[in-house]
């Protein structure tokens, strides 16, 4: 009983944090037009994931628009339907042992995920900002950012993601072509940091391309 | 009498929502210099449209700067003059059965409406963001965004718009050359989503052009 | 006595409005690093001009950082020193019968004032946004934006401005090379609108140039 | 005793000011992903430096995340660990007699620090904005912005900085390659002004390069 109450408080807090993050990312232009979805693990066993509901305006995201689901995507708390991409979130939680998964749609991720789609990803290398990624200790790090073809067949996409993440076990994120970025972390703060770092580096690469034609 | 009071409350609420949206779009740079105008249907029969007044600063837009007009553009509530482009709003409401019409002036819509004017519009295709447009179920969607020549002859422009919307009954918006974007939705929330999605995609196309010279 | 009190209230209100505008323009990146200065006429006869003090952070601009000067740049109210460019403000007030003069430093005005310096200015033509400039009734308007060489010799600069404004009596603003934009209006609201319109159009022209190389 | 209390109050005030500045720079995109660190001198003899703690989110920077260190980087107030780059801050305080040192990671500083790395820096010349740098009286000023190779060997980096600052005693800042900007001032307000001026000019140079291909 005490545990349940504690967990309820934790869910309220996480839902608040996810709502605040959503409003922040909306202001930056990373979650316009109801795009983007954000989740954080509440308990591991059994798995309980707090995740944003489908189709909500991230500029006015409220804690009441975050629901709680189990490992089968069944809603166990909250009255709204979870994001359709909840299956991707659950896959990343399972495969990467992530405590939080964040998905943004930015202009630069959209452009670069298309420009480098043929080679299946691209290297980001030599930037100090890379040191903000978990386990990275030096700017001399080489980060491979995989790109997957976009798909509306979510179970097929989930299998693709599983394959890619096994191939690149040290990846901190991946792009869906003409769609956006997925990244994660052991908790919400780390996942947020990863979004900011990867979006920053995508902007650096994207703007730099205007110089070399 | 009860209905009238209810409608008055609804008008106050819609005016508040339009004012909030105007200040949001101003901050994004989509409604600078008193540009932009925004409307939402209050009742269908008889038609009552809440619409922003002409010449007001969208950065400080107040509910009191929204007026209520009928299908002949006559003000039935409020003391200010409605936007000159009210006739375009009324045409879109009539032709598309829209519940809200939003018009923004952004840098990217201005540039692209000029660059593609000769071909009368352009395709937006293959982006996940397109799924946020009403009735679109897959990123494999192909959206034609028509471009009309800009004009100060508003009745003539209204006829042009009627022609274009009959030619492209599935369009979610159109551009006026070197002027801006019109889009709409069944309600204000959907129309707002359409603005954000189309402006996002215009920025993607606009920035991508800097890479290909 | 009554007049004096009224005028004092008006000064307090104008100082508040100028401070709010300064913080707004700072957020947009048009007045970074203490750059930019803003003024509005309080009385015509004798001339009293409310103007921002020199060297203040526009991101935290307070009404107490606005001083009142006469036509000789003498401070008649307030303890701070007025902007060094007060002489330019006074010249524009005198020559254009302006009620408010606003000076911003933006990235695009800096770039374009340099790119077109050799031809002494450039045309802005065919944009709907131009209709927001005073007396402009159609987007088919052609606006000449003059460029002057930057100078630290303010009396010489004042004479240059006088020459340029006599040559282009319909101009709504001018650029100082590698420095920024001056524009004005019959009151503060109109001058603010002119800043937003001209800065918007400079961004359109500036971004468009990246496409044509 | 009185002095100690005074100093405590001053530390609280400085910590508040540094937190406010950090949140401002985060909003501008200059301190994403926990990047950036900021310091200000509290007393000279003995040296006490208020500096941001390592790994904190600048978007939610609180005064409690600022610590006080001595000239050996030992924490004398506060429970968090200071930024790893505190040694660079201490070196700049010592070599430039600075009262505040600010370090930002922007997109344009990252790009330009890489583009001009081979020549060890670049000139910024002829811009009015340069007048906002301490001791600069005219836009005809020529500012050399040195670039150092990035390094994780902080003592070696400190020696490099010492060499560069002796070679360029009038420099107002320097770049670390693919890393970011360091600048300083006699107090926090001046250092903040220097960040805004240099970041503005880097954006001008960066955007201008897209025109010349």
């Amino acid at each position: 009983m005490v545990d349940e109450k504690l967990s309820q408080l934790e869910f309220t807090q996480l839902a608040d944090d996810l709502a605040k993050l959503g409003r922040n990312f909306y202001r930056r232009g990373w979650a316009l037009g109801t795009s983007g979805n954000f989740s954080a693990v509440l308990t591991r066993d059994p798995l309980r994931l707090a995740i944003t509901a489908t189709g909500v305006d991230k500029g006015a995201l409220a804690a009441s628009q975050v629901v709680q689901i189990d490992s089968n995507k069944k809603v166990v708390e909250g009255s709204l339907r979870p994001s359709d991409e909840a299956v991707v979130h659950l896959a990343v939680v399972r495969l990467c042992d992530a405590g939080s998964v964040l998905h943004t749609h930015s202009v630069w991720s959209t452009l670069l995920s298309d420009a480098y789609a043929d080679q299946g990803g691209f290297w980001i290398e030599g930037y100090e900002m890379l040191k903000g990624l978990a386990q990275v200790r030096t700017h001399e790090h080489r980060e491979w950012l995989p790109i997957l073809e976009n798909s509306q067949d979510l179970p097929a996409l989930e299998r693709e993601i599983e394959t890619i993440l096994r191939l690149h076990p040290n990846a901190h994120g991946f792009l869906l072509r003409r769609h956006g970025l997925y990244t994660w972390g052991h908790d919400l703060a780390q996942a947020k940091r990863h979004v900011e770092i990867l979006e920053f580096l995508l902007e650096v690469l994207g703007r730099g391309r205007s110089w070399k034609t």
Side-chain angles (χ1 to χ4, degrees), chain A:
Chain A
M1 187 66 180
V2 166
D3 277 12
E4 208 165 291
K5 275 193 186 162
L6 194 67
S7 161
Q8 184 58 38
L9 272 175
E10 279 165 14
F11 174 54
T12 305
Q13 182 61 51
L14 261 187
D16 257 353
D17 291 347
L18 287 166
K20 195 174 167 188
L21 174 138
R23 296 192 304 266
N24 177 351
F25 285 2
Y26 172 86
R27 279 194 299 271
R28 290 205 179 269
W30 298 344
L32 292 175
T34 77
S35 75
N37 35 73
F38 315 115
S39 73
V41 170
L42 189 60
T43 62
R44 289 270 168 199
D45 191 13
L47 182 70
R48 291 293 179 266
L49 188 72
I51 188 165
T52 47
T54 189
V56 294
D57 180 346
K58 302 309 180 296
L61 192 62
S64 61
Q65 293 170 319
V66 174
V67 299
Q68 200 180 132
I69 60 173
D70 68 13
S71 58
N72 297 312
K73 216 189 128 176
K74 201 182 138 242
V75 176
V76 294
E77 180 87 39
S79 55
L80 299 170
R81 200 159 63 82
S83 166
D84 288 339
E85 295 179 66
V87 293
V88 178
H89 287 248
L90 289 167
V92 173
V93 165
R94 184 167 39 87
L95 296 163
C96 307
D97 200 33
S100 174
V101 182
L102 304 176
H103 171 44
T104 48
H105 288 214
S106 73
V107 168
W108 294 112
S109 69
T110 302
L111 280 165
L112 290 165
S113 67
D114 199 30
Y116 293 109
D118 289 347
Q119 57 188 76
F122 52 93
W123 293 105
I124 310 176
E125 183 176 3
Y127 294 101
E128 180 70 13
M129 265 288 194
L130 290 164
K131 279 175 61 191
L133 300 176
Q135 315 301 331
V136 177
R137 302 274 174 255
T138 166
H139 65 282
E140 287 165 349
H141 175 72
R142 253 189 130 198
E143 178 81 17
W144 177 256
L145 190 63
I147 301 171
L148 285 81
E149 281 298 323
N150 193 20
S151 171
Q152 301 308 323
D153 179 349
L154 286 166
L157 188 60
E158 189 187 343
R159 287 189 301 274
E160 279 286 323
I161 289 167
E162 185 156 352
T163 306
I164 286 289
L165 291 178
R166 286 194 200 288
L167 262 170
H168 305 284
N170 296 322
H172 293 85
F174 57 83
L175 298 176
L176 297 181
R177 186 178 186 177
R178 292 184 166 207
H179 180 154
L181 170 73
Y182 269 95
T183 185
W184 53 86
H186 66 72
D187 60 14
L188 183 56
Q190 190 181 79
K192 172 179 184 277
R193 205 174 77 209
H194 288 179
V195 170
E196 293 183 5
I197 287 165
L198 292 171
E199 290 289 0
F200 176 90
L201 291 168
L202 292 172
E203 186 175 341
V204 166
L205 295 180
R207 290 196 187 275
R209 271 177 72 101
S210 293
W211 288 354
K212 303 159 199 156
T213 42

